[in-house]
Amino acid sequence: MSLSLYVITIALLGISYYKDKNKTKKALKKSWKAFENILPQFLGVIVLVGIMLSIFNTEFISKVIGSESGWYGTLISAILGAITLIPGFVAFPTSAMLIENGAGYMQIGAFISALMMVGIITAPVEIKYFNKRLTIARNVLAFLFSFIVAFIIGKVV
Amino acid sequence: MLGVIFLLNKEIGLKAINITGYSFKEMALVIPPVFLLLGLLDIWVPRETMVKYMGENSGIKGILLAIIIGSAAAGPLYGAFPVAAIFMKKGVKFSNILIFIGAWSTTKLPMFLFEMSSLGSKFAITRLLVDIPGIIIIAYILSHIIPKEEIKKIYEKVENF
């Protein structure tokens, strides 16, 4: 999978360079800037997860958000996802790691869905643009939707 | 923080460093192409030209475009709000704004590739297939439960940004 990602990226970069050198340069600059921006947060989260995984062992993780934890574990995962603000490219490998350490697919589905769609920390920004009523309604619906996603992922995967 | 843990318990500290190093290596392999894709999408996918296709009478075309633009964009969810504000200023339909925000939050293409590589294609594709109708349904529920005057207020507010 990682290899095809590289192939697609290099192909697109080639096409972009062939079509417009300047735009490609700009794109590369943007990529670098985005990467630089996220790097500290990224490193912080990796270290934090490393620490957490070394303290909480497999048994603990699978007890709290394991496949046997049912809707209770799913609720905990969804709440964690709603509160935290982790970029996808940190969240996905982290989740893969948690699954390897005993977390359940349904629970991880709830975590990822809530993480992406619900933003408690960013709610003040959202309110600035969309007012309180829409912000609350959107986040509540997205939170509830996370359980539908979790349920279906739990059934399918 | 790692240092403190080391002082408290050497064994756990070593374990933490091991796990951190391992996950760092794994991610270092995948992250460069993801960021390159984000940069390319940002430069090559034009925003303004698509806006006119997403207005009040854009129908399915508008919905599809909202999903595509949201999926192609780069950045975290809060990055979607200013873009949504510009869209509103240019007269994009309210439900399409909400669909755009939904797509920005969960159906991003580079993220999808990344999700497939870390959690498996079954997980990623299932989530995508559930998310797309979910985003549209949430957008329609929201545009029905939020009163017309409130929507008007939000559009007026955005004019000042």
Side-chain angles (χ1 to χ4, degrees), chain B residues 9 22 33 44 60 87 90-91 112 125 136 138 143 150 155:
Chain B
N9 187 330
Y22 174 77
W44 283 104
I60 290 178
F87 280 2
K90 301 205 171 174
F112 175 72
I125 291 169
I136 297 171
I138 287 177
S143 42
E150 176 77 16
Y155 270 75

PDB file of all heavy atoms in Angstrom, chain B residues 9 22 33 44 60 87 90-91 112 125 136 138 143 150 155:
ATOM      1  N   ASN B   9      10.963   5.274  36.142  1.00  0.00           N
ATOM      2  CA  ASN B   9      11.000   3.842  35.882  1.00  0.00           C
ATOM      3  C   ASN B   9      11.757   3.584  34.587  1.00  0.00           C
ATOM      4  O   ASN B   9      11.270   3.836  33.495  1.00  0.00           O
ATOM      5  CB  ASN B   9       9.553   3.308  35.777  1.00  0.00           C
ATOM      6  CG  ASN B   9       9.531   1.801  35.677  1.00  0.00           C
ATOM      7  OD1 ASN B   9      10.461   1.185  35.148  1.00  0.00           O
ATOM      8  ND2 ASN B   9       8.478   1.192  36.181  1.00  0.00           N
ATOM      9  N   TYR B  22       9.807   3.017  16.853  1.00  0.00           N
ATOM     10  CA  TYR B  22       9.197   2.129  15.873  1.00  0.00           C
ATOM     11  C   TYR B  22       8.097   2.844  15.083  1.00  0.00           C
ATOM     12  O   TYR B  22       8.068   2.815  13.853  1.00  0.00           O
ATOM     13  CB  TYR B  22       8.626   0.903  16.581  1.00  0.00           C
ATOM     14  CG  TYR B  22       7.855  -0.013  15.665  1.00  0.00           C
ATOM     15  CD1 TYR B  22       8.534  -0.862  14.788  1.00  0.00           C
ATOM     16  CD2 TYR B  22       6.459  -0.021  15.666  1.00  0.00           C
ATOM     17  CE1 TYR B  22       7.839  -1.703  13.942  1.00  0.00           C
ATOM     18  CE2 TYR B  22       5.751  -0.858  14.816  1.00  0.00           C
ATOM     19  CZ  TYR B  22       6.444  -1.691  13.959  1.00  0.00           C
ATOM     20  OH  TYR B  22       5.750  -2.514  13.114  1.00  0.00           O
ATOM     21  N   PRO B  33       4.940  11.176   0.831  1.00  0.00           N
ATOM     22  CA  PRO B  33       3.997  11.247  -0.285  1.00  0.00           C
ATOM     23  C   PRO B  33       2.679  11.910   0.086  1.00  0.00           C
ATOM     24  O   PRO B  33       2.084  12.607  -0.740  1.00  0.00           O
ATOM     25  CB  PRO B  33       3.788   9.781  -0.690  1.00  0.00           C
ATOM     26  CG  PRO B  33       4.284   8.985   0.438  1.00  0.00           C
ATOM     27  CD  PRO B  33       5.332   9.792   1.111  1.00  0.00           C
ATOM     28  N   TRP B  44      -3.400  22.700  -7.616  1.00  0.00           N
ATOM     29  CA  TRP B  44      -4.039  22.406  -8.896  1.00  0.00           C
ATOM     30  C   TRP B  44      -5.563  22.425  -8.882  1.00  0.00           C
ATOM     31  O   TRP B  44      -6.187  22.521  -9.929  1.00  0.00           O
ATOM     32  CB  TRP B  44      -3.554  21.055  -9.439  1.00  0.00           C
ATOM     33  CG  TRP B  44      -2.187  21.149 -10.035  1.00  0.00           C
ATOM     34  CD1 TRP B  44      -1.027  20.709  -9.456  1.00  0.00           C
ATOM     35  CD2 TRP B  44      -1.804  21.710 -11.291  1.00  0.00           C
ATOM     36  NE1 TRP B  44       0.032  20.968 -10.276  1.00  0.00           N
ATOM     37  CE2 TRP B  44      -0.413  21.577 -11.408  1.00  0.00           C
ATOM     38  CE3 TRP B  44      -2.513  22.323 -12.330  1.00  0.00           C
ATOM     39  CZ2 TRP B  44       0.289  22.035 -12.520  1.00  0.00           C
ATOM     40  CZ3 TRP B  44      -1.817  22.772 -13.438  1.00  0.00           C
ATOM     41  CH2 TRP B  44      -0.428  22.631 -13.526  1.00  0.00           C
ATOM     42  N   ILE B  60     -27.808  18.028  -7.989  1.00  0.00           N
ATOM     43  CA  ILE B  60     -26.845  16.954  -7.706  1.00  0.00           C
ATOM     44  C   ILE B  60     -25.426  17.380  -8.041  1.00  0.00           C
ATOM     45  O   ILE B  60     -24.471  17.037  -7.337  1.00  0.00           O
ATOM     46  CB  ILE B  60     -27.229  15.670  -8.482  1.00  0.00           C
ATOM     47  CG1 ILE B  60     -28.501  15.089  -7.870  1.00  0.00           C
ATOM     48  CG2 ILE B  60     -26.113  14.630  -8.419  1.00  0.00           C
ATOM     49  CD1 ILE B  60     -29.004  13.853  -8.558  1.00  0.00           C
ATOM     50  N   PHE B  87     -17.234  30.703   0.358  1.00  0.00           N
ATOM     51  CA  PHE B  87     -18.276  30.073  -0.459  1.00  0.00           C
ATOM     52  C   PHE B  87     -19.635  30.724  -0.210  1.00  0.00           C
ATOM     53  O   PHE B  87     -20.389  30.977  -1.137  1.00  0.00           O
ATOM     54  CB  PHE B  87     -18.366  28.572  -0.143  1.00  0.00           C
ATOM     55  CG  PHE B  87     -17.314  27.738  -0.821  1.00  0.00           C
ATOM     56  CD1 PHE B  87     -16.348  28.331  -1.619  1.00  0.00           C
ATOM     57  CD2 PHE B  87     -17.311  26.363  -0.678  1.00  0.00           C
ATOM     58  CE1 PHE B  87     -15.373  27.562  -2.244  1.00  0.00           C
ATOM     59  CE2 PHE B  87     -16.345  25.580  -1.308  1.00  0.00           C
ATOM     60  CZ  PHE B  87     -15.378  26.186  -2.091  1.00  0.00           C
ATOM     61  N   LYS B  90     -20.037  33.968  -1.870  1.00  0.00           N
ATOM     62  CA  LYS B  90     -20.228  33.862  -3.315  1.00  0.00           C
ATOM     63  C   LYS B  90     -21.532  33.170  -3.670  1.00  0.00           C
ATOM     64  O   LYS B  90     -21.753  32.822  -4.830  1.00  0.00           O
ATOM     65  CB  LYS B  90     -19.050  33.114  -3.925  1.00  0.00           C
ATOM     66  CG  LYS B  90     -17.762  33.848  -3.635  1.00  0.00           C
ATOM     67  CD  LYS B  90     -16.698  33.544  -4.642  1.00  0.00           C
ATOM     68  CE  LYS B  90     -15.533  34.494  -4.389  1.00  0.00           C
ATOM     69  NZ  LYS B  90     -14.387  34.213  -5.203  1.00  0.00           N
ATOM     70  N   GLY B  91     -22.349  32.930  -2.676  1.00  0.00           N
ATOM     71  CA  GLY B  91     -23.682  32.424  -2.952  1.00  0.00           C
ATOM     72  C   GLY B  91     -23.820  30.925  -3.084  1.00  0.00           C
ATOM     73  O   GLY B  91     -24.731  30.441  -3.751  1.00  0.00           O
ATOM     74  N   PHE B 112      -7.568   9.213   2.817  1.00  0.00           N
ATOM     75  CA  PHE B 112      -8.185   7.914   2.535  1.00  0.00           C
ATOM     76  C   PHE B 112      -7.116   6.888   2.151  1.00  0.00           C
ATOM     77  O   PHE B 112      -7.122   5.759   2.639  1.00  0.00           O
ATOM     78  CB  PHE B 112      -9.220   8.073   1.417  1.00  0.00           C
ATOM     79  CG  PHE B 112      -9.825   6.769   0.977  1.00  0.00           C
ATOM     80  CD1 PHE B 112     -10.715   6.102   1.800  1.00  0.00           C
ATOM     81  CD2 PHE B 112      -9.492   6.210  -0.237  1.00  0.00           C
ATOM     82  CE1 PHE B 112     -11.267   4.891   1.406  1.00  0.00           C
ATOM     83  CE2 PHE B 112     -10.035   5.006  -0.644  1.00  0.00           C
ATOM     84  CZ  PHE B 112     -10.930   4.347   0.178  1.00  0.00           C
ATOM     85  N   ILE B 125     -12.671   1.640   3.229  1.00  0.00           N
ATOM     86  CA  ILE B 125     -13.751   1.702   2.238  1.00  0.00           C
ATOM     87  C   ILE B 125     -15.113   1.671   2.925  1.00  0.00           C
ATOM     88  O   ILE B 125     -16.017   2.416   2.565  1.00  0.00           O
ATOM     89  CB  ILE B 125     -13.606   0.553   1.207  1.00  0.00           C
ATOM     90  CG1 ILE B 125     -12.365   0.809   0.346  1.00  0.00           C
ATOM     91  CG2 ILE B 125     -14.844   0.461   0.322  1.00  0.00           C
ATOM     92  CD1 ILE B 125     -11.959  -0.357  -0.536  1.00  0.00           C
ATOM     93  N   ILE B 136     -24.349  13.769   3.673  1.00  0.00           N
ATOM     94  CA  ILE B 136     -25.463  14.398   2.957  1.00  0.00           C
ATOM     95  C   ILE B 136     -26.704  14.450   3.852  1.00  0.00           C
ATOM     96  O   ILE B 136     -27.379  15.484   3.945  1.00  0.00           O
ATOM     97  CB  ILE B 136     -25.755  13.631   1.644  1.00  0.00           C
ATOM     98  CG1 ILE B 136     -24.521  13.736   0.725  1.00  0.00           C
ATOM     99  CG2 ILE B 136     -26.988  14.194   0.953  1.00  0.00           C
ATOM    100  CD1 ILE B 136     -24.582  12.849  -0.497  1.00  0.00           C
ATOM    101  N   ILE B 138     -26.812  14.423   7.177  1.00  0.00           N
ATOM    102  CA  ILE B 138     -26.589  15.411   8.248  1.00  0.00           C
ATOM    103  C   ILE B 138     -26.798  16.823   7.704  1.00  0.00           C
ATOM    104  O   ILE B 138     -27.442  17.664   8.340  1.00  0.00           O
ATOM    105  CB  ILE B 138     -25.170  15.255   8.847  1.00  0.00           C
ATOM    106  CG1 ILE B 138     -25.095  13.987   9.702  1.00  0.00           C
ATOM    107  CG2 ILE B 138     -24.806  16.471   9.706  1.00  0.00           C
ATOM    108  CD1 ILE B 138     -23.717  13.699  10.284  1.00  0.00           C
ATOM    109  N   SER B 143     -29.991  21.719   7.602  1.00  0.00           N
ATOM    110  CA  SER B 143     -30.610  22.849   6.916  1.00  0.00           C
ATOM    111  C   SER B 143     -32.126  22.874   7.134  1.00  0.00           C
ATOM    112  O   SER B 143     -32.772  23.879   6.885  1.00  0.00           O
ATOM    113  CB  SER B 143     -30.239  22.895   5.425  1.00  0.00           C
ATOM    114  OG  SER B 143     -30.259  21.630   4.844  1.00  0.00           O
ATOM    115  N   GLU B 150     -32.049  32.275  10.969  1.00  0.00           N
ATOM    116  CA  GLU B 150     -30.712  32.001  11.498  1.00  0.00           C
ATOM    117  C   GLU B 150     -29.719  31.816  10.346  1.00  0.00           C
ATOM    118  O   GLU B 150     -28.604  32.343  10.380  1.00  0.00           O
ATOM    119  CB  GLU B 150     -30.771  30.746  12.381  1.00  0.00           C
ATOM    120  CG  GLU B 150     -29.434  30.283  12.934  1.00  0.00           C
ATOM    121  CD  GLU B 150     -28.927  31.118  14.102  1.00  0.00           C
ATOM    122  OE1 GLU B 150     -29.728  31.860  14.694  1.00  0.00           O
ATOM    123  OE2 GLU B 150     -27.716  31.038  14.399  1.00  0.00           O
ATOM    124  N   TYR B 155     -25.278  34.006   6.929  1.00  0.00           N
ATOM    125  CA  TYR B 155     -24.806  34.524   5.635  1.00  0.00           C
ATOM    126  C   TYR B 155     -24.439  36.002   5.740  1.00  0.00           C
ATOM    127  O   TYR B 155     -23.460  36.446   5.160  1.00  0.00           O
ATOM    128  CB  TYR B 155     -25.872  34.325   4.547  1.00  0.00           C
ATOM    129  CG  TYR B 155     -25.739  33.003   3.815  1.00  0.00           C
ATOM    130  CD1 TYR B 155     -26.138  31.813   4.418  1.00  0.00           C
ATOM    131  CD2 TYR B 155     -25.212  32.944   2.534  1.00  0.00           C
ATOM    132  CE1 TYR B 155     -26.021  30.600   3.757  1.00  0.00           C
ATOM    133  CE2 TYR B 155     -25.088  31.732   1.862  1.00  0.00           C
ATOM    134  CZ  TYR B 155     -25.498  30.564   2.480  1.00  0.00           C
ATOM    135  OH  TYR B 155     -25.373  29.368   1.822  1.00  0.00           O
TER     136      TYR B 155
END
